[in-house]
Amino acid sequence: MAVKIANVLRAELQENADAGNSSFFSARQLAGRFNCSHQTVNNALNILAGEGWLERKQGAGSWSKPSMKHMRIACMVDTDFSKYRPENYSAIPLLSQKLFACLEKHNCEYRIFSINDLRRGNFSPHIFDNYAGLIADTRFSDRNSRQLANEFPRPKLWPWTSSIINVSGSQVVGDHMAGFSRIFQKARRCGIRKIVLHNIQKSFQHIMHEALIYSGWSESETLEIFHENFNTQLAAYKYALNMVVEPDTLHACEADMLALGFFEALLDRGFKPGEFNVSGNGNIESLGFLPLGRACLTTLKFDIASALETAVEQFLHKVADPTLPDAVIRVAGNMIVRESAFYNASKVKKSTDNK
């Protein structure tokens, strides 16, 4: 009943969206109108408040807010993930889905601009003239695309970065430095004598190197390997078939994609958990070799999805009121110990051990 009432009221709010902030019907009035209890009405009003249609204050009633339906948001993405191949799986497609779900929840109209769309438009700033806000993928590397985002004059959101970028707009930042430091400190406590860093991005190479120094590891105890053109789990698997493996060495990977490939290859070579140490980053399980739902990696887990939802809400408030300040939302990475690293069968339970 509450959902049905919310549907009726939402339609009325949409028709009067241009009225701006105004007092809304009281719970008593609505209970009489729909011949239902006050609790049912409150449930309906809470649904609308959660969607951004109403603002509620205890003891003071409800106010209607300008419809977010009129908010047109441009989304710049490096890749159109609707055609993303499973073997190139990473966290980004899931985050994109979460991002678009947040916009839909708040009744926003949005359009996805891929790099090809921008090229076809000759990177003209007029591409975004009819959009009230811009959500920009930070992985854009070409000068024209970054310039378009940097010069966009209205509110911007940079939804996921490994470190703060020096541009205007709100940001969601994963604190990878602290996360990798936890892994490297744990390695020292577990008797690891050498750490091998495996990177496919220069930015993560720098972050992991700094985390090593912060954690007290010397250059003589570490080795850094940069894997160019490593873009699939299969490539990591093939590499690990000939990788030197020692029980006192940690192979720290910048992404779970690498770590999962290493892990499967080492199992196929006859190694058992505890005879090697491989760690990942992202807490993303496999869509390739390993069975879905099998949690195996020691990794870093970043609750980017929840942070994205908060960031989108703040961003849309700023679209409605551009005088609000920019926000930087930091996401702490939690280390999860599983069988791929620091594993001891007598101590690690089947359930995830969050550290």
Side-chain angles (χ1 to χ4, degrees), residues 183-184 187-188 190-198 212 217-225 243-252 276-279 342:
I183 288 180
F184 301 149
R188 183 73 79 184
C190 290
I192 297 296
R193 297 189 178 186
K194 182 178 180 180
I195 293 181
V196 182
L197 303 184
H198 297 274
L212 273 177
W217 288 82
S218 66
E219 290 189 6
S220 62
E221 298 173 301
T222 62
L223 174 65
E224 299 181 31
I225 301 176
M243 186 171 68
V244 176
V245 179
E246 297 174 333
D248 62 351
T249 298
L250 169 65
H251 292 271
F276 60 86
N277 290 279
V278 174
S279 67
F342 317 131

Side-chain angles (χ1 to χ4, degrees), residues 27-32 36-45:
R28 182 185 299 274
Q29 290 172 318
L30 292 172
C36 64
S37 68
H38 283 200
Q39 184 59 51
T40 300
V41 168
N42 278 322
N43 290 340
L45 294 176

